[in-house]
Amino acid sequence: MAAAASCKAAVMARPHSYTKMVSPCSSLLLVLLVFITSGSLVDGFATPQSSISSELHQRTHHHLVPLFSTKNQDDDCDDTNNTQPPSKQNPSLSTRRDALQSAASIAAATTGFFSIPSSASALPPIASFSNPFGAGRANQSNGGNYIPAKRCTAYHIDATIPPSLIPYRASREAAILKNLGMGGGTPKSPLIEDDVNLNNFMNKAVFGSIDTVKQVVGVGEQAAKKSGANYQSFVFLGANFDDTYTASPEKNGGGENSDAALAVGLLTDICKPKERNGNTAIGLAFAPQSSQQVLNDYLTASGSEQETERALVEGLTALGANENLSQRHLPIFRFAKKKKCALLPLAPELSDLATVQKGGLQSLDPERREAYVADAQGFISLTQEPKFKLYTDKSLLKDFVPTSTSAKDEAANKAEQGNFFSERILVHEACATAISKWATSRPDSLVVTIAPIPDVRFLGGINGRVPRVCQYLNSESLVDDETVTTILLNPNARETLSESKFLRLEIGTAPNNWTYQTKIADYLWFSSMPKVNMIPRMMNEQ
C-alpha cells in the first residue's frame, strides 16, 4: 500500500508533464504491469460502482502466466494448481479471453485519469496517429506533392540464377566505363559478395575455399594478360532511339533524343583511355557497309557543321539507311569527329536483305554471302547449339510479325518466318564479321557499337558472335565472352519482352533450360530514374 500510495501521489503531483509523456498504449501496458506487481494499487482505483477487486487481479494474473509461458497451448485449461474450468457454479474462474477483455476495460477506464488534458496544448486524439491515410494526411508535407525516392540510373545484371540487379551510385559510373575503355571487359560469372547478396553463399563456401587453397599452394590458373596484339575489347550499346519513359523530354528537362545524349555520355568515359591511340572505332548497325566513304568524308570535311551533317544524312539515306535514324545519330557523329574515332558501317546492303527476305539465304549470291560471312562453318554450327535455339525461340523470333494471320496461310507464314530468321542471322553475322575484321588488324583495339536492342539483347545477336569470329580470324586471339560488354540504354518492359511492368532479366527459366539461362545484358543504363515497378530483384547499392 505504501508503494501504491507513493506512485499515486507522484502522478497527482505532476499532472501536466505526465499527460504529455503517457499515451493510451502506454497506459494499457502500465495497467497490466500494475496487475502483475501489485494488487493493492488496483484496489486504490476501485469505486462502489466498479466490479474491480483484488479477485480480478488474481484471475488476471492466473491467466497471464500461461499466456507468456512455454507450455503447449493445448494445455491452456490446465495450470499448476489443478484448477477446474470456469463454470456457472464457479464464476470467479474465467477464460484467458475474459481476462484480457477485463484488462482492456480497465485500461479504457483509467486512460482518462492518465491523459486528462489540462491545457489547449494537449495531445490530439489517438486516431490522428494511427491512421496515416486519413483525410488531409497527404497534404501535411511537400504541399501534397509526391516526391519519389532517389534511385540509381546504372545497374549491373549479376549472373545469378535468376539474375539480380546491382545498382551503382553516380560516383562509380565513370570508373566502370573507364575500366571498359581500358579493355577490362565484364565478368560473366556471378558476383559472390556477402554485402551485395547471399544468393551464392554456398557456392562461395565450397568453391571459394577450393580457390583459396589453390592460390596458397600455387596451382591456380594464371589469368591471361588482357592486352597486346591478340587482345581486343568490345562494347555494345543497345538503343532504340524511341524516347521511352526514362528518355522522355518530361524526365530530362525538356531535352529530346535522350538515347543519343546518353550514348555520348557513356562514350566520353569509355573512349578516354584509348582516344590518343587511334585504335578506337564506333560501329553503326543501321548504316550499310557501302556507306564507308560517306562516313570518311564527313570525318575529314572542313566545312560548317550544318553543311557537313546535311551531306552526311543525305549520303546515308541515298544508300538505304533510315533517314530518321541518321538524324538521331548526329550527336554520336559529332563525338566521333571531335575525338577522331573511326566510324564503321556494319549492316548488309538493303538489296541483299530484300533478296533474303523473299527467298532465304540460298537465294543470295555466293560472293555476297562470303563477303558477309567469314566463318561459314561456325555460322552453320551455331544454329544447332541448344543455347542458340533457346535464344531463337525466346528472343529472335519474338519480333516476327506475319503478313497474314489466316489459318489458310499457315504454310506461307512458316516460310515467311524462315526467311525472317535467315535475314536476322545474316545481319548479325555480317555486323560481327565487320567489327572483328577491323579489330583483329589493330592490337589492343576497342570497338563501341550502337545497335538496336533486339539485335543485342540476351547476348545472342551481334555481340554473341564476335568472340567466335575473332578466334576464326586469329587462332591466337584472346577474345572471349568476357571481353564483350553489352549495355542497354533506357530499356522498357516491352523491349525486354516482358509481359508485366518489370523488366525481364533472363531467358531460360524452365528446369530443362537452366543450363542455358542467359541474362539480357551486362548493364542497364538510364537517362533518368526508372520507376520502382520496372526494377526487379534489386540488391544493395554499390
Side-chain angles (χ1 to χ4, degrees):
M1 290 297 294
S6 61
C7 179
K8 182 175 180 180
V11 171
M12 299 303 293
R14 302 183 63 187
H16 298 283
S17 60
Y18 198 83
T19 300
K20 295 180 181 180
M21 291 187 294
V22 178
S23 66
C25 294
S26 301
S27 301
L28 176 59
L29 295 177
L30 181 59
V31 169
L32 293 177
L33 180 61
V34 169
F35 286 160
I36 297 174
T37 57
S38 176
S40 302
L41 185 58
V42 177
D43 296 336
F45 291 110
T47 61
Q49 295 81 16
S50 174
S51 62
I52 304 174
S53 64
S54 59
E55 181 182 3
L56 178 59
H57 159 68
Q58 294 174 1
R59 286 188 287 142
T60 305
H61 177 74
H62 167 74
H63 289 283
L64 284 179
V65 169
L67 179 64
F68 294 99
S69 68
T70 58
K71 292 181 63 178
N72 193 317
Q73 293 185 0
D74 295 336
D75 301 329
D76 284 342
C77 295
D78 299 331
D79 57 62
T80 56
N81 296 325
N82 297 320
T83 57
Q84 300 297 323
S87 63
K88 294 181 180 180
Q89 289 76 18
N90 191 6
S92 63
L93 298 177
S94 63
T95 65
R96 184 179 304 170
R97 177 178 296 178
D98 294 336
L100 292 178
Q101 288 178 346
S102 300
S105 64
I106 297 170
T110 57
T111 297
F113 170 77
F114 287 111
S115 58
I116 296 175
S118 58
S119 65
S121 62
L123 292 175
I126 187 173
S128 63
F129 292 102
S130 60
N131 184 14
F133 304 104
R137 298 289 292 177
N139 297 324
Q140 293 186 5
S141 62
N142 304 321
N145 297 322
Y146 170 70
I147 299 179
K150 291 185 178 181
R151 288 180 291 279
C152 298
T153 55
Y155 298 83
H156 171 63
I157 305 177
D158 191 22
T160 53
I161 297 179
S164 52
L165 288 180
I166 301 176
Y168 284 105
R169 301 182 182 92
S171 58
R172 294 197 58 184
E173 292 181 4
I176 295 171
L177 298 172
K178 289 178 181 177
N179 179 67
L180 297 178
M182 291 187 293
T186 303
K188 298 300 188 288
S189 57
L191 176 62
I192 304 175
E193 190 171 338
D194 291 342
D195 61 351
V196 176
N197 63 67
L198 296 177
N199 290 358
N200 298 283
F201 74 97
M202 287 303 296
N203 187 28
K204 180 179 181 179
V206 177
F207 297 102
S209 301
I210 295 175
D211 293 339
T212 301
V213 173
K214 286 184 176 181
Q215 294 175 6
V216 172
V217 299
V219 298
E221 295 182 0
Q222 298 293 328
K225 185 179 180 181
K226 293 187 175 182
S227 62
N230 297 322
Y231 183 81
Q232 295 82 29
S233 57
F234 308 87
V235 177
F236 287 84
L237 303 181
N240 282 353
F241 298 94
D242 53 357
D243 292 341
T244 56
Y245 172 80
T246 55
S248 61
E250 294 79 9
K251 294 295 180 180
N252 294 277
E256 298 181 352
N257 199 16
S258 295
D259 283 350
L262 179 58
V264 170
L266 301 187
L267 283 167
T268 301
D269 289 324
I270 292 174
C271 296
K272 275 183 179 179
K274 294 181 180 294
E275 63 184 12
R276 296 181 180 179
N277 297 341
N279 59 352
T280 302
I282 299 176
L284 306 169
F286 83 99
Q289 295 183 7
S290 59
S291 62
Q292 183 66 71
Q293 189 59 46
V294 175
L295 297 173
N296 292 342
D297 292 342
Y298 166 77
L299 293 175
T300 57
S302 57
S304 66
E305 182 178 278
Q306 184 177 2
E307 293 178 355
T308 55
E309 289 180 356
R310 182 174 64 250
L312 173 62
V313 173
E314 291 177 353
L316 291 173
T317 305
L319 293 172
N322 183 280
E323 182 177 1
N324 179 57
L325 280 178
S326 300
Q327 294 176 346
R328 291 271 192 166
H329 279 72
L330 285 176
I332 300 171
F333 293 146
R334 297 178 193 132
F335 174 85
K337 186 173 184 177
K338 179 181 179 181
K339 298 297 182 180
K340 298 181 180 180
C341 296
L343 290 173
L344 304 179
L346 306 176
E349 301 304 318
L350 195 62
S351 58
D352 294 335
L353 293 179
T355 300
V356 175
Q357 289 172 355
K358 293 179 180 179
L361 282 171
Q362 64 274 13
S363 63
L364 187 62
D365 183 77
E367 293 184 359
R368 301 300 301 164
R369 285 202 305 266
E370 292 178 3
Y372 297 137
V373 181
D375 181 20
Q377 186 59 45
F379 175 66
I380 297 172
S381 300
L382 178 65
T383 60
Q384 305 303 315
E385 295 180 2
K387 186 174 182 178
F388 183 78
K389 290 181 178 180
L390 174 67
Y391 163 76
T392 300
D393 294 338
K394 301 299 183 180
S395 179
L396 191 149
L397 293 180
K398 295 295 184 181
D399 297 316
F400 169 69
V401 180
T403 56
S404 175
T405 57
S406 174
K408 297 180 180 180
D409 300 329
E410 183 178 355
N413 289 339
K414 288 185 178 180
E416 186 179 5
Q417 185 185 59
N419 292 338
F420 172 83
F421 172 77
S422 299
E423 178 217 351
R424 297 321 302 163
I425 62 175
L426 176 64
V427 170
H428 295 168
E429 188 75 11
C431 292
T433 300
I435 293 170
S436 302
K437 285 182 176 179
W438 189 92
T440 53
S441 61
R442 294 165 176 80
D444 205 24
S445 57
L446 168 68
V447 180
V448 182
T449 302
I450 315 295
I453 290 178
D455 290 335
V456 295
R457 69 188 175 202
F458 300 112
L459 312 182
I462 305 171
N463 44 357
R465 297 169 180 265
V466 167
R468 171 180 54 81
V469 178
C470 285
Q471 293 170 8
Y472 173 81
L473 297 174
N474 178 12
S475 59
E476 298 180 356
S477 175
L478 300 176
V479 175
D480 56 15
D481 291 339
E482 293 193 350
T483 63
V484 180
T485 301
T486 303
I487 305 174
L488 301 189
L489 308 185
N490 294 310
N492 59 19
R494 177 181 54 82
E495 292 169 341
T496 62
L497 304 180
S498 174
E499 296 183 0
S500 67
K501 294 182 179 180
F502 284 107
L503 300 175
R504 184 174 184 176
L505 301 184
E506 78 287 336
I507 55 174
T509 56
N512 60 328
N513 290 329
W514 282 344
T515 305
Y516 313 110
Q517 184 174 107
T518 308
K519 60 183 182 179
I520 191 169
D522 295 304
Y523 293 93
L524 304 178
W525 229 280
F526 300 93
S527 299
S528 61
M529 290 189 305
K531 290 183 178 180
V532 67
N533 63 357
M534 292 175 57
I535 308 300
R537 299 194 291 271
M538 186 165 61
M539 299 299 164
N540 295 338
E541 186 179 284
Q542 298 298 297

